[in-house]
Amino acid sequence: MPADLASLAQPATTRIVLVVIDGLGGFADAAHGTELEEASTPNLDRLVSEGAAGLLEPVGAGITPGSGPGHLALFGYDPFEYELGRGALSAAGLEVELRPGDVAARGNLATLDADGVVVDRRAGRIADDDAGRIVGLLAEKVNLPGIEVVLAHEAQHRVLVVLRGAGLDPHVTDTDPQTVGVPPRPPHATTPAADRTARAVAEFDRRVRDILAGEPEANALLLRGFDTHRELPSMQIRYGLNPAAIAVYPMYRGIARLVGMEVLAKAADLDDQVSVLQSHWDDFDFFFVHHKPADSAGEDGNFEAKVAAIELLDRAIPAIAEQDPDVLVVTGDHATPSQLAAHSWHPVPALIWGKVVGRDTVSRFGERWCREGGLGRRPSVELMPLMLASAGRLAKYGA
């Protein structure tokens, strides 16, 4: 496949809808099927029975992806070529301008015990009001010599941290250990140019813990995904699309903005997202609709809640289908099995429905059924050309 499809892109009046159920994938065990297999999904089952199904590998066999690489692959960007840190994505989502030389990281408000061990990486998914108060306190009191610190609350425990000053470099290891029962990791520079940044991050961590020492839950801030200013080639240039994003959480709005999507009015929930889609239907030809709750439930190890989140999305499918898209795709950016309470390497089910997609023999949407589908098992990065081709947006290659 060419590095981009610009040479094959051709104009068309067709419309594509990509619905991403965050963390959709899972695995069956001795007790039950996957969350998707156990969910009641009559509308998704109807779509898959009329279209084609398969399994996607977001990055590669055995590789557990973050949300950034998972989404980049779905948008047709090789996640190894376009590697983005969580900090850059969060900044874009919050519309915080990263200047050349800035270093950004995604922070988790977290709970440490008296021995400094992480007992909750998300501070009980702290309420927005409480989190906003704490971020405001840190913004007022944290200061680093010669470095400006910018903090912005995203949602719940999520915080954007930007360090601004001379001689900073993003090549610093995470302080978030990505697990509980261990202390936060000390930051280390992975290149000599990042030594000053690593020292600044260590001092930032010390000051944050001092300021939050009296807080009952959020008494630390774990950092990951250090990155700096980024520019990516747009979907307009690569595919000739006029794309739009409908997402609730800032990070997903951010990655959409970085690839050139128009980020539409922020919706409060899935019903609002469908309303936004309907009201902007005539304005764009590609819509990315992001559904977060399945991933959150999987990360909490809550099987039943993830099933419920998938069923909620299924109930929205008729309203989306009523817009009469030429191509409708439903998949996930990665797997988040509730058994692991974390992202995993397992493949992600996908369905593609359209007037010229064709039909295979799959009649239910789930991992073990999709394994038999006509799309086969393929890298997520190959989904975009399939969407474009099914929408009549790719010309023939060669004579």
Side-chain angles (χ1 to χ4, degrees):
M1 188 177 73
D4 66 67
L5 300 171
S7 62
L8 300 180
Q10 63 182 10
T13 59
T14 51
R15 286 182 172 80
I16 301 168
V17 177
L18 169 64
V19 178
V20 177
I21 305 176
D22 204 301
L24 174 63
F27 63 88
D29 58 26
H32 48 61
T34 71
E35 296 90 349
L36 176 58
E37 291 170 349
E38 296 290 337
S40 174
T41 55
N43 299 303
L44 290 169
D45 292 345
R46 178 185 61 80
L47 283 181
V48 79
S49 69
E50 297 175 358
L55 293 173
L56 301 179
E57 289 186 341
V59 178
I63 298 175
T64 297
S67 293
H71 278 86
L72 281 175
L74 291 176
F75 301 152
Y77 294 74
D78 184 340
F80 287 113
E81 181 180 356
Y82 300 99
E83 186 176 358
L84 295 176
R86 199 72 178 241
L89 299 177
S90 294
L94 291 168
E95 299 186 58
V96 173
E97 180 188 5
L98 288 186
R99 304 170 189 170
D102 287 356
V103 171
R106 160 60 194 280
N108 271 22
L109 290 171
T111 309
L112 308 185
D113 67 15
D115 296 321
V117 170
V118 178
V119 294
D120 190 332
R121 290 182 56 246
R122 303 177 181 90
R125 293 198 183 273
I126 187 171
D128 284 341
D129 288 347
D130 287 339
R133 173 186 62 80
I134 290 170
V135 173
L137 178 67
L138 293 176
E140 177 186 350
K141 296 195 173 225
V142 171
N143 59 81
L144 298 175
I147 296 175
E148 179 185 357
V149 179
V150 178
L151 295 104
H153 179 229
E154 288 190 49
Q156 295 179 318
H157 55 280
R158 304 172 185 88
V159 182
L160 168 68
V161 178
V162 179
L163 304 181
R164 180 168 291 157
L168 297 179
D169 186 284
H171 293 93
V172 176
T173 59
D174 297 347
T175 67
D176 186 350
Q178 299 274 335
T179 189
V180 297
V182 297
R185 293 173 175 168
H188 294 293
T190 59
T191 66
D195 285 342
R196 179 173 187 246
T197 311
R199 292 194 300 271
V201 171
E203 180 61 16
F204 174 82
D205 176 69
R206 185 189 68 77
R207 297 191 183 199
V208 166
R209 292 201 215 183
D210 286 346
I211 294 166
L212 300 184
E215 292 290 334
E217 287 185 308
N219 59 7
L221 188 57
L222 306 176
L223 301 180
R224 61 190 171 107
F226 290 91
D227 206 348
T228 189
H229 173 77
R230 296 283 184 171
E231 290 187 11
L232 275 68
S234 72
M235 292 177 71
Q236 291 90 334
I237 293 172
R238 287 168 67 94
Y239 314 129
L241 290 170
N242 181 23
I246 308 170
V248 174
Y249 281 75
M251 199 209 82
Y252 307 98
R253 296 165 64 84
I255 192 169
R257 184 175 284 113
L258 286 173
V259 296
M261 293 191 204
E262 180 78 17
V263 178
L264 301 181
K266 186 175 180 181
D269 53 28
L270 185 56
D271 287 340
D272 279 355
Q273 289 177 272
V274 173
S275 295
V276 171
L277 175 73
Q278 293 167 336
S279 64
H280 288 277
W281 186 250
D282 293 331
D283 302 328
F284 302 93
D285 53 28
F286 180 96
F287 293 89
F288 157 54
V289 180
H290 180 264
H291 183 60
K292 176 66 174 176
D295 181 57
S296 299
E299 288 182 335
D300 288 342
N302 191 330
F303 185 93
E304 292 76 14
K306 184 174 175 183
V307 169
I310 293 169
E311 292 177 342
L312 178 65
L313 187 282
D314 182 79
R315 292 193 290 274
I317 289 296
I320 296 173
E322 281 175 6
Q323 297 301 120
D324 196 27
D326 297 276
V327 176
L328 175 55
V329 174
V330 181
T331 188
D333 57 333
H334 56 75
T336 309
S338 53
Q339 300 99 315
L340 299 178
H343 293 198
S344 79
W345 63 93
H346 296 87
V348 181
L351 72 84
I352 179 167
W353 176 96
K355 297 164 186 177
V356 297
V357 167
R359 181 167 62 90
D360 56 27
T361 60
V362 177
S363 60
R364 292 187 65 186
F365 191 43
E367 284 83 348
R368 285 176 289 176
W369 302 301
C370 286
R371 186 175 296 120
E372 307 302 321
L375 294 180
R377 182 164 173 162
R378 63 179 64 243
S380 293
V381 74
E382 293 182 359
L383 183 63
M384 178 57 75
L386 290 175
M387 287 190 276
L388 294 170
S390 299
R393 290 178 169 271
L394 288 184
K396 182 176 69 172
Y397 175 69

